[in-house]
Amino acid sequence: MFLVVSTVLFICVASMLDAKPLAKKSVNSTNPFGPLTFQSDGTFQISIFEDLHFGENAWDQWGPQQDLNSVRVINEILDAESPGLVVLNGDLITGENGFLENSTVYVDQIVGPLVDRGLTWASTYGNHDYDYNISGCTILAREQQWSNSRTTQMVSGDDVGVSNYYLPVYDSDCADEACAPELILWFFDSKGGFRYQQKDDAGNRVGQPNWVDFAVVNWFLQTNAELVNTYSKTIPSLAFVHIPTFASYVLQEDGVDPNTEPGINDDVPLAPQAQGWCADGRNDGSCDYGGQDTSFMQAISEVPGLIAVFSGHDHGNTWCYKWDRLLPNMTVAPQNDVNLCFGQHSGYGGYGNWERGARQVLATKSKLENFEVDTWIRLESGSVVGSVSLNGTYGTDRYPATNDTETHCPTCDYSVIS
């Protein structure tokens, strides 16, 4: 195997943090926006953009037009909503179409609407963010040119990925750096795609594992335990990861009810972590699923206070499902009921014509006392669908079904595809 590795990769690896910061100063001291805080009315809202897929077929007329329409979607959503944080939850860029010299320039276009509004954001990276000419490291370097970015690294090691970290959210009147966060936001890198600037002896790109690494799981469990010990309480939390777990796959097989789990359910079967890998680590196409996300599933199902995990990847799924039981063909029995949610395909890049939009999450201090949040999807048409409360009765409460609407790029000429 021959390797051609850029300097940026080494800088990225060298800058990874082994420390697990607990107080506001150590987490946020380098961010001029300061720590994340609730509003004075006790609310904190998050807008999640999934699968933007910028940079697709930049050499054809329709490629740049898709990106312009994706920017329009971002603007329309942010005009209608008032988030305290924007999450870019993976597949920011269609990396296989990028060139080494400019593959990350699309970051500037993606975050332009956020910068214009003075908004701050945090990213996870997806399988299309990793390819021969792009990586989580190079995207992070581009992101960190903007002071609005809170994306960082807190785990080092081989195959751990880049976007593994957490962000605390504090009370609006908390001025003491030793005060306890009201909410913890966890970000995980499910990787996938291909290794940066690596090819095998036959000149083929080298595949990269597509699951949250075991070392990251250990960091998550250890860091959460430290937070509980430091603040002497269980802090409510939310998590973001691009590729869903195998538990979502089995829940979908078990049946998604359009009234108790409202949302689109068109990607059947969905594509989970460890898909296409064998249990022994081979990814030669001979296995459907290797089970390497089992430790991550165990962790998210046993950590107290984790309310929901939000994923993308499967553009045609937008539901939330409460994982509250041992599922068929699985060994992981959840100890705490955690909701596994999809967002909405946000970009005009990537497959599918489902109406673009973004999932919203509203955390309210009063509801967090019971480990509950509200969530809905804002579509580019302005409509709101799938508005639910992720509470103790979610999964039995009944809601209106979500209409399966579509949108098409109005300025794209797909008659020429190079």
Side-chain angles (χ1 to χ4, degrees), residues 68 130 156 163 212 282 309 322:
L68 290 174
Y130 288 95
S156 61
S163 55
V212 176
R282 288 178 294 114
V309 179
K322 180 175 289 187

Side-chain angles (χ1 to χ4, degrees), residues 406-417:
E406 293 188 355
T407 51
H408 300 267
C409 181
T411 59
C412 296
D413 178 5
Y414 292 110
S415 63
V416 178
I417 299 178

Side-chain angles (χ1 to χ4, degrees), residues 78-138:
L78 296 179
D79 284 345
E81 301 288 351
S82 301
L85 178 72
V86 172
V87 171
L88 306 174
N89 202 17
D91 281 2
L92 283 66
I93 297 168
T94 299
E96 59 268 36
N97 288 170
F99 298 92
L100 182 63
E101 295 78 9
N102 65 353
S103 61
T104 63
V105 70
Y106 299 103
V107 169
D108 301 353
Q109 194 175 12
I110 293 169
V111 304
L114 284 60
V115 173
D116 290 344
R117 291 169 173 80
L119 293 173
T120 183
W121 71 82
S123 300
T124 71
Y125 300 138
N127 50 302
H128 286 277
D129 296 318
Y130 288 95
D131 213 287
Y132 185 71
N133 286 329
I134 197 169
S135 71
C137 291
T138 60

